[in-house]
Amino acid sequence: TGAGAVADGVLQNDPNAAGVAAAVAIAGVSRVVCGGVVSRGALVASDASGRAVAATTGAEIAGRALAAGTTGALIPVLLKLSGRAPAV
């Protein structure tokens, strides 16, 4: 993945080589890590590290922020894994 790329979902656990499978949320509400300042109600996309940032024009939308947050904060996002952010 890269900044603004299509996301397949949000990882919910910490899979490892010991046989723990990945759990991925593709719908509903999920907590995500902010990669910058995100306002409540903003459309969010992923940054190059997979963190949530305010979606810029043309970025693939991952969801809508249900709370505000700053870099490193965990916030709830209503997942909407489709569509591109419109021009503002």
Side-chain angles (χ1 to χ4, degrees), residues 10-45:
V10 177
L11 188 63
Q12 301 295 299
N13 64 347
D14 188 16
N16 60 34
V20 175
V24 179
I26 59 171
V29 176
S30 180
R31 290 180 1 149
V32 298
V33 177
C34 292
V37 175
V38 176
S39 300
R40 181 179 183 268
L43 294 175
V44 296

Side-chain angles (χ1 to χ4, degrees):
T1 52
V6 175
D8 291 325
V10 177
L11 188 63
Q12 301 295 299
N13 64 347
D14 188 16
N16 60 34
V20 175
V24 179
I26 59 171
V29 176
S30 180
R31 290 180 1 149
V32 298
V33 177
C34 292
V37 175
V38 176
S39 300
R40 181 179 183 268
L43 294 175
V44 296
S46 65
D47 67 8
S49 297
R51 299 171 298 179
V53 293
T56 56
T57 301
E60 289 290 335
I61 298 168
R64 183 173 300 278
L66 299 178
T70 57
T71 303
L74 283 171
I75 63 168
V77 168
L78 177 60
L79 299 179
K80 178 186 185 282
L81 303 175
S82 64
R84 291 191 177 268
V88 188

